[in-house]
C-alpha cells in the first residue's frame, strides 16, 4: 500500500472528462475508506463540478446521490448566443441549490478551479468569488457552451490549458499530489451522431496529448480506463463511480502505477 508521510499536505487534482467525471466520485469514496485526508482540491471542467461540491460537503455518498439524479436537461439549455450552442446556466442553479451562493473562502477544503481566457489562450486560476460561476466557466467547452464573462475576461473550459490541474495545488501549499486523469486511457471508437458529439470528440483529442506531461509531477496518478463508456450518456453514472473506486483501490492498495 502506498504510504503518505505524516505531516504532508495532500492535494487532489480532478481532470475534465464530460460525463466520465462521475468516476471522480468513486475516487473520493476510495480515498475516504482508505483514510486519506484531502487538504486542498482543484478541478478542471467536470472535475471542477465534482471538486466544488466536495469542497463544501466532503461526502462522496452525497455526491453519488447528486450524480444519479443529473441529466443534460437539468444542467443545460439552448443558447441564443453566437458563441455557443448551449448555456450551462442551469448548472449554476444546481450548484447554488446544493451549496448556496457560496464563495471560495467558505469552502471546507481550500479549492481552486481552472478556466481558459479564450481571448488570450492563458490559464486562469479562480479561487475567489462565486464558486458556481467559476464552475460554469471551467465547464464551457468551446463551440458547445457559450463562454462565461468574469472579471473582464471571456472564459471557457480549463482543459485547453491544464486538464489535470496540479499547479494550483502546489501554489496553495500541497506537497503530496494525487491526480486523476480520465482522458489518458480513453479511446474513442464511435462515429459521432450529431454536432455535439463531433465537437466533444474533437475536444477530447486535443486534451489527450497533453495530459501525460501535466501529470508527470503527481505522487499518485489514477488513470481509470473508461473506453467502454460513452462521454455523453449520463445513465452510466453508477458504473463510472464503481470504476473510479476500483482503480483508486488498485493504485493505492496494490501500488500499481503505469509510469513505473
Amino acid at each position: 500500500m502506498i504510504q503518505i508521510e505524516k505531516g504532508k499536505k495532500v492535494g487532489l487534482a480532478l481532470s475534465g472528462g464530460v460525463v466520465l467525471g462521475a468516476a471522480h466520485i468513486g475516487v473520493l469514496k476510495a480515498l475516504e475508506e482508505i483514510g486519506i485526508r484531502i487538504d486542498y482540491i482543484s478541478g478542471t471542467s467536470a472535475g471542477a463540478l465534482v471538486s466544488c461540491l466536495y469542497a463544501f460537503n466532503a461526502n462522496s455518498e452525497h455526491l453519488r446521490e447528486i450524480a444519479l439524479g443529473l441529466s443534460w436537461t437539468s444542467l443545460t439549455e439552448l443558447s441564443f448566443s453566437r458563441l455557443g450552442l448551449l448555456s450551462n446556466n442551469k448548472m449554476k442553479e444546481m450548484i447554488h441549490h446544493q451549496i448556496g451562493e457560496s464563495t471560495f473562502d467558505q469552502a471546507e477544503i481550500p479549492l481552486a478551479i481552472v478556466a481558459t481566457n479564450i481571448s488570450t489562450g492563458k490559464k486562469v486560476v479562480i479561487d475567489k468569488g462565486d464558486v458556481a460561476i467559476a464552475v460554469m466557466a471551467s465547464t464551457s467547452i468551446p463551440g458547445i457552451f457559450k463562454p462565461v464573462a468574469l472579471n473582464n475576461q471571456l472564459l471557457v473550459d480549463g482543459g485547453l490549458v491544464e486538464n489535470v490541474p496540479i499547479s494550483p495545488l502546489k501554489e496553495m501549499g500541497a506537497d503530496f499530489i494525487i491526480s486523476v486523469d480520465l482522458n489518458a486511457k480513453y479511446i474513442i471508437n464511435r462515429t459521432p451522431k450529431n454536432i455535439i458529439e463531433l465537437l466533444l470528440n474533437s475536444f477530447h483529442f486535443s486534451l489527450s496529448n497533453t495530459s501525460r506531461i501535466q501529470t508527470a509531477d503527481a505522487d499518485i496518478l489514477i488513470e481509470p480506463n473508461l473506453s467502454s463508456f460513452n462521454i455523453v450518456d449520463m445513465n452510466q453514472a453508477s458504473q463510472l463511480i464503481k470504476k473510479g473506486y476500483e482503480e483508486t483501490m488498485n493504485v493505492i492498495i496494490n501500488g500499481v502505477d503505469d509510469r513505473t
Side-chain angles (χ1 to χ4, degrees):
M1 177 173 172
I2 296 175
Q3 298 290 336
I4 301 175
E5 185 180 331
K6 189 175 181 180
K8 291 280 189 181
K9 294 291 186 180
V10 178
L12 177 64
L14 303 181
S15 79
V18 198
V19 168
L20 304 179
H24 288 314
I25 300 171
V27 173
L28 291 165
K29 174 179 170 61
L31 294 178
E32 288 172 1
E33 291 186 6
I34 293 167
I36 295 177
R37 180 177 180 273
I38 303 303
D39 297 292
Y40 307 98
I41 192 167
S42 63
T44 296
S45 200
L49 177 58
V50 174
S51 65
C52 97
L53 295 174
Y54 196 74
F56 283 84
N57 184 355
N59 184 320
S60 63
E61 185 56 35
H62 180 59
L63 264 66
R64 174 187 173 84
E65 292 173 4
I66 295 173
L68 294 180
L70 291 180
S71 65
W72 282 110
T73 55
S74 69
L75 296 176
T76 67
E77 58 190 355
L78 287 174
S79 168
F80 297 100
S81 169
R82 293 176 296 173
L83 300 179
L85 300 172
L86 302 172
S87 163
N88 57 4
N89 194 60
K90 282 188 176 181
M91 182 184 295
K92 179 183 73 173
E93 295 172 1
M94 183 274 289
I95 296 170
H96 282 165
H97 175 72
Q98 293 296 331
I99 67 173
E101 295 185 24
S102 298
T103 52
F104 281 83
D105 60 315
Q106 297 173 303
E108 295 179 18
I109 303 173
L111 166 70
I113 288 172
V114 173
T116 303
N117 184 328
I118 197 59
S119 301
T120 65
K122 292 184 178 179
K123 177 174 65 179
V124 178
V125 177
I126 310 172
D127 57 8
K128 295 180 178 62
D130 189 318
V131 174
I133 294 177
V135 175
M136 281 182 65
S138 185
T139 56
S140 292
I141 299 173
I144 297 179
F145 295 103
K146 70 176 183 179
V148 173
L150 181 65
N151 298 329
N152 297 316
Q153 300 176 99
L154 200 59
L155 303 180
V156 298
D157 198 296
L160 291 171
V161 286
E162 191 170 5
N163 190 45
V164 188
I166 291 177
S167 66
L169 296 174
K170 293 182 176 180
E171 292 169 6
M172 285 191 283
D175 44 26
F176 190 96
I177 306 291
I178 302 172
S179 67
V180 186
D181 186 352
L182 304 182
N183 299 94
K185 294 182 178 179
Y186 190 78
I187 298 173
I188 295 177
N189 54 13
R190 305 174 186 84
T191 301
K193 297 181 176 62
N194 52 56
I195 189 171
I196 299 293
E197 291 189 7
L198 185 147
L199 290 169
L200 285 173
N201 284 8
S202 301
F203 190 66
H204 166 76
F205 295 139
S206 72
L207 301 182
S208 58
N209 294 326
T210 60
S211 292
R212 184 66 63 178
I213 297 172
Q214 294 171 3
T215 56
D217 292 335
D219 296 285
I220 296 177
L221 175 59
I222 300 167
E223 296 178 320
N225 189 337
L226 305 176
S227 296
S228 62
F229 296 91
N230 187 305
I231 58 175
V232 297
D233 184 0
M234 287 196 176
N235 293 321
Q236 306 164 113
S238 181
Q239 296 95 329
L240 283 162
I241 292 169
K242 182 173 183 289
K243 188 71 172 179
Y245 174 86
E246 292 173 345
E247 182 64 17
T248 304
M249 285 297 194
N250 189 41
V251 169
I252 296 179
I253 301 297
N254 300 323
V256 175
D257 190 329
D258 289 344
R259 296 175 296 177
T260 60

